[in-house]
Amino acid sequence: MRSRTRIVIVGAGIGGLATALALHRKGFDVTLYEQAAGIQPLGVGINLLPHAVGVLDALGLRDALAATAIDAGALVFMNRHGQRILTDPRGIAAGYEHPQYSIHRGELQMILYQAARKRLPEGALFTNHHLERFEETSNGVRAHFIDRRTGTPLAPHDGSVLIAADGIHSTVRARFYPNEGPPIWNGAIMWRGVTRGRPFLDGRTMIMAGHEFQKFVCYPISKSAFDRGDAVINWIAEIKGKPD
């Protein structure tokens, strides 16, 4: 039996999709709105720690994750010369109930998106809907949307609750914190990318080399490449100074 509570979720990124799936599993009536014209597998690598994998496992997504992600076995800390300092087990090897998965962000996005398309009712996921404003009503909340490309107003949508998952430039957050200003730079400059190459160490290990102000991080993110004896490697080069 579905709940009478109608939940409007703004943003169909990882947070919005995972929230929609979790609430739908509990029986809530969920509608999801994304400002992009379509959901695409964008981004580079990310790590899902065991507690996050536990949440996705409860949503029935562990098999899909295991089919594409690397089950990270360890994080190796090195100095700037590449000399090993410490090996820290991760996931199952560290005694957790769930693994730690290294995965391409776009792959995770599409796993969540395909699950949402399969499980949510027809017409519960809207794209090309940019939240312009919202207001409280006697029954909950009314969300007003526009076509981001043209600025054309779209039909408003009512709900009992509105959940903001609309990212760093959140319309909802700006409403509640109008004087907050833009995000504050922490002094870090990062170069990120994904490279196809040969496996390093055991093919399941993360590397962190350097120190707080200059470091390099890399880890494999593709199980299919691992199974072929290759590697798809996510890497981050970071230099950090004092913020302005």
Side-chain angles (χ1 to χ4, degrees):
M1 182 177 180
R2 307 303 297 177
S3 169
R4 293 184 180 180
T5 302
R6 301 186 311 278
I7 300 177
V8 172
I9 301 177
V10 181
I14 291 170
L17 287 166
T19 301
L21 290 170
L23 290 171
H24 177 264
R25 179 171 174 265
K26 292 296 185 179
F28 289 99
D29 182 0
V30 178
T31 311
L32 195 58
Y33 301 88
E34 167 58 41
Q35 67 178 353
I39 308 297
Q40 301 182 47
L42 304 177
V44 287
I46 60 174
N47 271 280
L48 297 174
L49 298 184
H51 58 280
V53 174
V55 172
L56 296 174
D57 186 14
L59 295 176
L61 300 177
R62 181 162 171 174
D63 288 346
L65 293 172
T68 188
I70 291 289
D71 180 352
L75 169 60
V76 174
F77 294 91
M78 296 181 172
N79 63 20
R80 63 190 180 92
H81 300 292
Q83 297 168 316
R84 189 186 298 250
I85 299 171
L86 172 70
T87 299
D88 184 21
R90 314 301 274 183
I92 299 295
Y96 289 98
E97 180 181 355
H98 296 91
Q100 174 175 320
Y101 282 132
S102 301
I103 188 171
H104 192 288
R105 184 204 173 280
E107 295 283 354
L108 174 59
Q109 174 87 14
M110 298 312 292
I111 288 172
L112 292 165
Y113 175 56
Q114 295 300 335
R117 288 190 60 188
K118 181 178 180 180
R119 300 177 191 180
L120 299 183
E122 185 74 24
L125 199 162
F126 293 82
T127 57
N128 201 36
H129 275 62
H130 173 71
L131 180 68
E132 182 182 38
R133 59 187 173 88
F134 63 95
E135 61 200 30
E136 291 190 36
T137 67
S138 58
N139 295 318
V141 64
R142 172 166 291 179
H144 298 267
F145 298 91
I146 60 172
D147 183 318
R148 190 178 185 186
R149 294 171 299 179
T150 65
T152 304
L154 302 171
H157 293 265
D158 294 326
S160 308
V161 177
L162 185 148
I163 296 176
D166 51 342
I168 193 170
H169 300 294
S170 170
T171 299
V172 178
R173 185 177 181 88
R175 161 75 178 275
F176 287 108
Y177 302 94
N179 300 317
E180 183 177 45
I184 299 173
W185 182 44
N186 70 350
I189 300 175
M190 302 175 68
W191 293 265
R192 304 186 67 185
V194 175
T195 302
R196 294 185 181 275
R198 299 178 63 181
F200 57 88
L201 299 179
D202 64 355
R204 297 175 48 236
T205 296
M206 304 173 61
I207 296 295
M208 184 177 294
H211 49 78
E212 179 182 0
F213 298 101
Q214 183 175 327
K215 65 183 176 182
F216 183 80
V217 180
C218 66
Y219 49 89
I221 58 173
S222 171
K223 183 178 184 301
S224 60
F226 176 84
D227 291 341
R228 295 193 305 269
D230 298 323
V232 176
I233 303 166
N234 181 82
W235 53 267
I236 307 103
E238 177 182 335
I239 294 177
K240 188 174 183 181
K242 294 181 178 180
D244 295 336

